[in-house]
Amino acid sequence: MIPNEDASSRKREIEEKLKQEEEMLTFIKESLDKSDQLTNNMVSILSSFESRLMKLENSIIPVHKQTETLQRLQENVDRTLSCLDHVISYYHVATETEKVIKDGPSGRLEEYLSCIAKIQKAVEYFQDNNPDSPELNRVKSLFEKGKESLDAEFRNLLQRHSKPVPPILILDLIGTDEEIEGQEEGVLEHLPEGILQDIIRISQWLVEYGRNQDFMNVYCQIRSSQLDRSIKGLKEHFRKNSSSSGVPYSPAVQNKRKDTPTKKPAKRPGTIRKAQNLLKQYSGHGLDGKKGGSSLSVLEGHEQDSRGRYHGDAVGEKHGTTLGKEDVLDLEIDTYIYCISAFVRLAQSEYQLLLDIIPEHHQKKTFDSLIQETLDNLILEGENIVLAAKKANSRHDFTSVLSIFPILRHLKLTKPEFDKVLQGTAASTKNKLPNLITSIETTGAKALEDFADSIKNDPDKENSMSKDGTVHELTSNAILFLQQLLEFQETAGAMLASQETSSAASTYSSEFSRRLLSTYICKVLGNLQLKLLSKSKMYEDLALGAIFLHNNYNYILKSLEKSELMQLVSVTQKDPDSLYREHIEQQIQIYQKSWVKVTDYVHDRNMPPLQGAKLKDKERQMIKERFKGFNEGLDEICKIQKSWAIPDKKQRERIRQSQKKIVQEAYGAFLHKFGTGVNFTKNPDKYIKYSVEHVGEMIERLFDTSA
């Protein structure tokens, strides 16, 4: 039973599924039919729309083409009208710009340049399109007039606003590098900023459109004149302030200065003035033998020429001062040194100024021309100083020749900056300073050698010898000259090295320079010693000759010890102080021999032995003669040597005490033995004139005319 029921159930299920599938197929078929119908409807609609679009297109396209043609025609008309307006405007340029061009660019430069630009375009138009038009000549004329006005405005602005740099600003500018490190570099404003921008604008236009380089020549002339006036103004500043501030500070001598723009330059003793002061100091103490007998004088021929130098003697007259010749020379030296420094700073500033005004490819040439006059004046002034030094050298005025030493030192210190400033200029311009340095070195080296020779060849004249045996003028002048060289050791060494041809000279060093200078000083001192020996022989009295040599040797030794001369001499000579002390002792011994003729009278040599209380007549007479000879010899030698001079107080006292001891011991022993203890005369006061103490007092008054 159960299997039959299962089969019936499955059959029913299959029949139901088949029925459902038939129903589904019927639904799908109906759906497909509806879809086909909708598709046919859509195709029909699209076909209708396509038909309408074709009809619309066939209607619109002709209209669009007509409109496009009309627009193109309109644009052509507008463009044509614009071109006509543009062309017509060129015919109105002359009328529109004539008044502006006539009035000039002053005060309205941009408007003026705008008008010039319009005129230039008009000129180009007529030249290209209508060269026969009368308007071309008119706008050309206006353009040329406008260019001339710009040239004139360039000149006027530059002339009106270019001023010499005030001396106090120059001094401040020079001092910038020598003052506190890290301070901002001084900058000069040669032209007001607004004016400078106008000048730059005009120069740019003239370069681009003017096709004219005349404005560069104008610029060069005006700025060159101001540079020269600035340097001359600095010189005038020093002259006017010379009476109140003395010889002003020199940048070649000091490394730093602390002046402010409101202060006058600090004073320093000048080279020649220092020499004169030292010599006066020495002569005041009797070291010359002739008070005020120095041969130091001022360089001759130091006068202003037509290119900027000044006549020294006129300084005092013009400003009512009492400057001496040595002050005038020192003022001139320091002024020249200042002017060299000022030129470098001002030239640097001028170069910075022209960078924005002058076209790049003309800058170096313009700068070269701009500085030429001022540089030539400075070089000429230096050459005149060299010439004056040569004349002084020919007169054997060697102290005045020292004027070139600070100048040479400053020129060599300044040369690196000088070369940097002149970089790019002509070779002839660059070589001017080196040529001047070479000339100064040659002149200085010759002066040094001539000075050494002049010591050796100094004539032995009796009237040049002091009667008291004091320091000879030749010695004081020689030492003074050498002391002056100490301030310029490196410079003097370089002078000597410049004349050397050895390989050591070619590899110049400060040590080589120092050895050369040491050798030179030793040569001078050697020549001086030989000459002093020669001069000492002019004294008939050997003792006075010894005092003369003693004084001179002692003066040399003390001078060496009180300065760096001793250290310099020691570079090439071993123990120079010991050598001079030995010479001094030798002369003292020679001097002491002059007393032997006096002390021989009171020595008991050749005296008879005393036998008993009673003396023989011969013995009494011998004792009398001994006392008489001693008295006369002592009187005579004290009278003579009292007028002699030993300026060194210590040496004077030392020689006195030494001689006092020798004479007192000899006289005291003789007096004790033959004077007080022996009755050799009835009138002892006649022969025993002096006590031992009195003899000492007489010797104490030696070398003292006031005693």
Side-chain angles (χ1 to χ4, degrees):
M1 288 294 293
I2 295 174
N4 290 333
E5 289 179 1
D6 291 339
S8 298
S9 175
R10 282 197 295 273
K11 182 178 179 182
R12 283 193 300 272
E13 289 177 357
I14 293 171
E15 288 176 354
E16 287 178 0
K17 287 182 179 179
L18 289 173
K19 185 178 180 180
Q20 289 176 355
E21 289 177 356
E22 287 177 359
E23 290 175 355
M24 180 62 70
L25 289 172
T26 302
F27 176 77
I28 291 173
K29 185 177 180 181
E30 290 175 355
S31 297
L32 288 173
D33 291 340
K34 288 181 180 181
S35 177
D36 289 339
Q37 185 179 358
L38 291 173
T39 299
N40 292 332
N41 291 339
M42 182 59 69
V43 170
S44 176
I45 292 170
L46 290 175
S47 297
S48 176
F49 184 71
E50 182 181 8
S51 174
R52 289 182 180 183
L53 282 178
M54 289 180 64
K55 290 179 180 181
L56 181 61
E57 184 178 351
N58 292 332
S59 300
I60 292 300
I61 287 177
V63 175
H64 176 70
K65 290 181 178 179
Q66 290 177 0
T67 304
E68 191 177 55
T69 302
L70 290 174
Q71 287 178 342
R72 191 178 299 113
L73 290 174
Q74 181 64 41
E75 289 175 359
N76 290 338
V77 170
D78 292 340
R79 194 176 293 113
T80 302
L81 290 174
S82 177
C83 289
L84 287 173
D85 290 339
H86 183 67
V87 170
I88 292 171
S89 68
Y90 288 130
Y91 287 86
H92 296 302
V93 165
T95 304
E96 292 172 352
T97 60
E98 187 172 14
K99 185 178 185 307
V100 176
I101 298 301
K102 183 178 179 181
D103 293 341
S106 181
R108 50 178 180 180
L109 180 61
E110 289 304 323
E111 179 186 358
Y112 193 86
L113 291 176
S114 177
C115 290
I116 288 287
K118 291 180 181 179
I119 295 171
Q120 187 175 13
K121 289 180 180 179
V123 170
E124 292 172 355
Y125 170 79
F126 288 118
Q127 285 178 336
D128 294 339
N129 299 282
N130 192 3
D132 297 328
S133 172
E135 287 295 325
L136 176 60
N137 294 331
R138 189 178 178 191
V139 292
K140 269 188 174 181
S141 175
L142 278 176
F143 183 80
E144 292 300 321
K145 186 174 182 181
K147 187 169 68 172
E148 291 173 2
S149 295
L150 285 174
D151 277 328
E153 180 70 3
F154 182 87
R155 177 189 293 273
N156 292 337
L157 287 176
L158 208 53
Q159 281 184 331
R160 191 181 311 123
H161 298 281
S162 290
K163 306 292 182 184
V165 180
I168 203 68
L169 291 184
I170 296 177
L171 293 174
D172 190 54
L173 187 67
I174 294 173
T176 299
D177 293 339
E178 299 161 356
E179 293 176 349
I180 303 172
E181 293 183 3
Q183 191 176 30
E184 291 186 5
E185 184 179 354
V187 177
L188 291 176
E189 185 182 77
H190 293 284
L191 297 167
E193 183 61 28
I195 300 301
L196 177 59
Q197 293 305 317
D198 285 350
I199 290 175
I200 293 173
R201 188 78 175 85
I202 294 173
S203 69
Q204 290 173 343
W205 189 93
L206 291 173
V207 170
E208 187 173 358
Y209 304 109
R211 300 177 180 87
N212 188 329
Q213 296 183 7
D214 290 345
F215 80 96
M216 299 182 200
N217 297 330
V218 170
Y219 178 87
C220 180
Q221 292 169 3
I222 294 174
R223 293 309 307 170
S224 176
S225 174
Q226 297 308 320
L227 176 61
D228 191 52
R229 289 176 62 191
S230 297
I231 296 296
K232 289 179 179 177
L234 182 62
K235 292 180 182 179
E236 184 66 19
H237 173 77
F238 280 111
R239 288 204 296 273
K240 287 183 177 179
N241 287 280
S242 60
S243 60
S244 59
S245 55
V247 179
Y249 155 86
S250 170
V253 176
Q254 304 290 340
N255 291 325
K256 293 184 178 181
R257 75 176 182 85
K258 297 183 178 179
D259 298 336
T260 65
T262 59
K263 294 181 181 179
K264 295 177 181 178
K267 293 187 286 185
R268 77 162 181 89
T271 302
I272 307 304
R273 164 56 67 189
K274 187 187 295 182
Q276 292 284 10
N277 288 343
L278 284 172
L279 189 61
K280 289 177 182 177
Q281 175 185 344
Y282 296 147
S283 63
H285 288 81
L287 297 183
D288 279 341
K290 293 182 179 180
K291 194 167 184 177
S294 171
S295 63
L296 307 180
S297 62
V298 182
L299 291 177
E300 294 179 357
H302 256 42
E303 300 178 355
Q304 183 179 14
D305 56 34
S306 59
R307 300 185 67 179
R309 293 184 55 74
Y310 59 88
H311 192 297
D313 293 339
V315 175
E317 298 173 6
K318 182 176 180 180
H319 301 289
T321 66
T322 56
L323 289 178
K325 288 185 177 181
E326 64 275 4
D327 286 321
V328 171
L329 179 55
D330 275 324
L331 175 62
E332 184 173 352
I333 295 168
D334 290 334
T335 300
Y336 184 71
I337 289 173
Y338 257 115
C339 287
I340 291 293
S341 294
F343 172 79
V344 173
R345 292 290 174 265
L346 292 176
Q348 289 172 338
S349 184
E350 288 291 345
Y351 186 72
Q352 291 301 317
L353 179 64
L354 68 76
L355 289 179
D356 293 326
I357 299 174
I358 304 300
E360 183 177 358
H361 53 288
H362 290 288
Q363 289 172 359
K364 293 295 184 181
K365 183 178 180 181
T366 302
F367 178 69
D368 195 344
S369 300
L370 189 155
I371 64 172
Q372 204 62 228
E373 181 180 359
T374 305
L375 179 59
D376 285 345
N377 287 343
L378 288 174
I379 296 300
L380 178 62
E381 191 170 348
E383 290 171 350
N384 286 338
I385 292 175
V386 172
L387 180 61
K390 289 179 179 179
K391 290 181 179 179
N393 187 44
S394 66
R395 301 192 308 272
H396 286 193
D397 181 10
F398 299 107
T399 303
S400 293
V401 179
L402 287 170
S403 64
I404 64 176
F405 282 69
I407 293 174
L408 177 61
R409 177 170 66 182
H410 187 65
L411 289 178
K412 297 188 91 171
L413 287 173
T414 310
K415 187 177 181 299
E417 287 186 276
F418 218 101
D419 292 342
K420 185 177 179 181
V421 170
L422 300 184
Q423 188 176 7
T425 58
S428 59
T429 302
K430 293 178 184 177
N431 292 333
K432 288 181 179 179
L433 183 67
N435 290 342
L436 178 60
I437 289 175
T438 300
S439 177
I440 295 177
E441 283 184 334
T442 303
T443 301
K446 186 177 187 305
L448 291 176
E449 292 303 321
D450 287 352
F451 175 74
D453 292 341
S454 72
I455 297 293
K456 181 172 61 177
N457 300 324
D458 189 71
D460 294 333
K461 296 181 180 179
E462 188 174 350
N463 59 4
S464 70
M465 303 298 294
S466 60
K467 295 180 180 181
D468 57 3
T470 191
V471 178
H472 196 275
E473 181 183 7
L474 181 67
T475 303
S476 61
N477 284 349
I479 294 299
L480 177 60
F481 184 83
L482 295 179
Q483 286 175 334
Q484 294 300 298
L485 288 184
L486 290 177
E487 189 175 349
F488 311 102
Q489 292 183 42
E490 189 171 345
T491 303
M495 285 180 175
L496 295 171
S498 68
Q499 307 305 304
E500 292 288 320
T501 56
S502 64
S503 58
S506 61
T507 57
Y508 167 76
S509 65
S510 58
E511 180 60 29
F512 177 70
S513 167
R514 187 173 174 82
R515 290 190 66 83
L516 278 179
L517 185 58
S518 174
T519 302
Y520 172 77
I521 293 175
C522 290
K523 177 181 178 181
V524 171
L525 293 176
N527 290 350
L528 178 60
Q529 184 176 343
L530 291 174
K531 180 49 62 176
L532 290 173
L533 283 170
S534 175
K535 289 183 179 295
S536 69
K537 295 176 182 178
M538 298 182 66
Y539 290 108
E540 295 181 1
D541 192 329
L542 293 178
L544 181 55
I547 291 296
F548 169 78
L549 289 175
H550 164 273
N551 285 334
N552 282 272
Y553 291 154
N554 184 66
Y555 176 81
I556 294 171
L557 176 62
K558 297 302 180 184
S559 298
L560 294 179
E561 290 177 335
K562 289 179 181 179
S563 65
E564 292 183 44
L565 285 172
M566 184 65 78
Q567 290 91 325
L568 267 177
V569 172
S570 300
V571 172
T572 53
Q573 183 175 327
K574 186 178 180 181
D575 298 329
D577 53 339
S578 300
L579 182 62
Y580 276 103
R581 294 185 197 283
E582 183 179 337
H583 291 331
I584 291 171
E585 290 303 319
Q586 289 175 354
Q587 300 309 316
I588 291 176
Q589 292 173 11
I590 294 173
Y591 163 74
Q592 289 176 341
K593 290 180 181 179
S594 68
W595 282 83
V596 172
K597 63 184 179 182
V598 177
T599 55
D600 275 352
Y601 285 109
V602 291
H603 281 174
D604 57 4
R605 291 192 301 270
N606 301 322
M607 290 294 291
L610 298 178
Q611 298 176 354
K614 189 174 181 181
L615 298 175
K616 297 179 181 180
D617 291 342
K618 183 178 180 181
E619 293 173 340
R620 285 197 296 269
Q621 186 62 32
M622 185 177 292
I623 294 173
K624 289 178 183 179
E625 288 177 355
R626 289 294 186 94
F627 274 111
K628 181 180 179 182
F630 174 80
N631 293 334
E632 291 176 350
L634 180 65
D635 288 340
E636 181 183 4
I637 200 169
C638 286
K639 180 180 179 181
I640 292 173
Q641 295 186 5
K642 182 179 181 181
S643 63
W644 294 358
I646 300 179
D648 189 313
K649 184 178 180 180
K650 289 184 179 180
Q651 286 292 316
R652 183 169 63 242
E653 192 61 27
R654 176 191 168 203
I655 292 174
R656 283 174 177 172
Q657 294 303 320
S658 176
Q659 198 60 49
K660 176 181 174 181
K661 181 180 179 181
I662 294 172
V663 176
Q664 280 187 323
E665 287 180 355
Y667 181 66
F670 188 84
L671 182 62
H672 176 73
K673 187 174 182 180
F674 297 102
T676 57
V678 177
N679 185 15
F680 67 93
T681 180
K682 295 179 180 179
N683 188 12
D685 291 341
K686 178 179 179 182
Y687 297 99
I688 306 177
K689 293 178 61 177
Y690 304 111
S691 65
V692 175
E693 292 76 14
H694 193 185
V695 170
E697 291 174 359
M698 292 176 69
I699 296 176
E700 288 280 359
R701 292 194 291 270
L702 294 178
F703 318 117
D704 186 1
T705 57
S706 63

